[in-house]
Amino acid sequence: DPCMQCYRHNIIEMILQTYVSTIILLLLHTPSSFFIHASSSTPKMTATNAAQVDPAIYAKSGDISKHLEGVKKQYDTQNKIEFYKQVMGDGTANIHFGKWDNVDLDQEGAYGKASEQMTDYMFELVSGLCDCEGDFKYVDLGSGTGAAALRLVKMHPHIKHATCLNLCDEQNALATKEAAEAGLESRIEVVTGTYEDAPLDDNKYDACFSQDAFVHAFEKKQAFKEAFRVTKPGGAFVWCDLMCGSGEGVSDEELQTFAATNMVNDWLSPEENVAACQAVGWEDVKFVDLTADIRISFQLMLKKVE
């Protein structure tokens, strides 16, 4: 299957990075707390399986509209939604990297369970930084299929409203359908748009949330600025994603190949992401290394497509 082979190459390229990270940021409006969860070293592999870049989809043009179209092509078809559901969600729509504490890797549905644990872990961090009681409202920036919001709204009755802001039409249609079927359409709103120019009001949300989406930002600082704009003073922001780095043995070619094959336009290190967030107003930064989780996630993804 050419599609499966392409994704297999991309997964190998992810594992190639000796500093690939999953990052979580928790941020509070001035005064603020800013939390980063990142993974560092991953095992080194050979570069013989490097993916070939399709310039019609992945080539950098400096044009944000072309970049966004490339992101859509990477995710927004029924075939690709189904692929990610099987490889990362174990048949569920929660297609995220996992938090692997106390998860048996050999059990059925292990990846899906770990993906849900990462969502729960992130929201627990948010809850520790801001007041989540009362009429709590949050936005998921780059919400994909809306699986994280669906899970959190079901689990937490105090969440009055969740906005899913996402670029991709097919994913948004699925999120809208799932919310309606779960009877949550009055609490979950799906909005089409980009987190770098969010069609959302200033100071609207108690918290911002983003799981595995900011890696595709055309300009990270602009994305962080928009998150700051829509968050209330005293609100929190948690985000997780992959980042660039300079681990021992990593080559520029490998980093560039990963970026080129995964719609990464602004490929920043953990330190650069921290600096970019601080530059737009976020404060009190904390960085936590969770290398083991991202390593397991990629290893199991690779095993599934081989």
Side-chain angles (χ1 to χ4, degrees):
D1 186 330
C3 181
M4 184 69 76
Q5 189 68 15
C6 174
Y7 281 110
R8 179 178 182 276
H9 286 322
N10 283 358
I11 292 168
I12 290 172
E13 283 305 317
M14 293 178 188
I15 297 174
L16 276 170
Q17 316 317 314
T18 53
Y19 200 127
V20 173
S21 53
T22 298
I23 173 173
I24 292 179
L25 294 86
L26 270 171
L27 310 95
L28 292 179
H29 249 279
T30 313
S32 65
S33 293
F34 176 93
F35 173 90
I36 293 182
H37 145 213
S39 67
S40 58
S41 305
T42 60
K44 181 67 176 173
M45 298 177 66
T46 66
T48 56
N49 292 311
Q52 297 299 310
V53 176
D54 181 352
I57 298 177
Y58 299 109
K60 291 186 181 181
S61 66
D63 184 333
I64 188 170
S65 63
K66 291 183 179 179
H67 177 76
L68 295 177
E69 285 303 313
V71 173
K72 286 185 177 182
K73 288 178 182 179
Q74 181 162 330
Y75 292 102
D76 208 31
T77 68
Q78 287 298 322
N79 285 342
K80 291 180 180 179
I81 289 173
E82 186 61 30
F83 171 84
Y84 283 115
K85 283 176 62 176
Q86 297 304 321
V87 173
M88 299 182 73
D90 283 331
T92 74
N94 199 343
I95 50 173
H96 297 294
F97 299 119
K99 188 79 172 64
W100 294 94
D101 298 349
N102 302 313
V103 176
D104 180 353
L105 303 187
D106 296 322
Q107 75 179 88
E108 185 177 354
Y111 205 118
K113 181 178 180 180
S115 297
E116 292 177 341
Q117 283 196 170
M118 183 63 82
T119 299
D120 297 344
Y121 172 70
M122 293 168 63
F123 193 75
E124 182 179 349
L125 293 171
V126 173
S127 300
L129 289 176
C130 67
D131 183 5
C132 292
E133 300 303 321
D135 294 336
F136 182 78
K137 299 178 182 179
Y138 86 96
V139 59
D140 187 332
L141 301 173
S143 54
T145 60
L150 284 163
R151 177 173 178 79
L152 293 175
V153 171
K154 286 179 183 178
M155 291 178 62
H156 302 284
H158 66 272
I159 299 177
K160 179 181 179 180
H161 184 84
T163 297
C164 293
L165 176 65
N166 193 57
L167 177 67
C168 298
D169 296 324
E170 292 285 344
Q171 290 182 330
N172 290 347
L174 178 60
T176 300
K177 176 176 176 289
E178 294 286 341
E181 290 180 352
L184 298 173
E185 63 269 31
S186 65
R187 296 170 62 200
I188 296 177
E189 175 191 19
V190 180
V191 177
T192 300
T194 169
Y195 45 61
E196 292 175 86
D197 186 18
L200 305 171
D201 293 337
D202 294 355
N203 304 320
K204 182 174 181 178
Y205 298 100
D206 299 290
C208 284
F209 182 102
S210 184
Q211 192 169 359
D212 307 330
F214 277 1
V215 69
H216 301 303
F218 187 76
E219 182 187 358
K220 292 289 200 307
K221 187 181 289 187
Q222 176 61 25
F224 303 151
K225 183 178 179 181
E226 280 292 88
F228 190 83
R229 178 182 66 80
V230 302
T231 305
K232 296 177 182 178
F237 176 31
V238 55
W239 66 273
C240 70
D241 222 324
L242 302 172
M243 292 185 291
C244 187
S246 54
E248 182 180 353
V250 70
S251 72
D252 290 341
E253 179 183 1
E254 289 164 352
L255 292 171
Q256 290 167 3
T257 301
F258 173 82
T261 55
N262 289 277
M263 295 312 303
V264 181
N265 190 70
D266 198 11
W267 196 207
L268 302 185
S269 69
E271 296 79 10
E272 290 169 331
N273 275 295
V274 169
C277 287
Q278 290 173 325
V280 300
W282 299 113
E283 299 178 357
D284 301 336
V285 179
K286 181 181 179 182
F287 182 90
V288 178
D289 186 336
L290 291 176
T291 301
D293 290 293
I294 197 68
R295 180 185 291 122
I296 294 170
S297 294
F298 281 133
Q299 287 172 342
L300 290 188
M301 288 170 66
L302 180 60
K303 182 179 179 180
K304 287 186 176 186
V305 299
E306 283 185 324

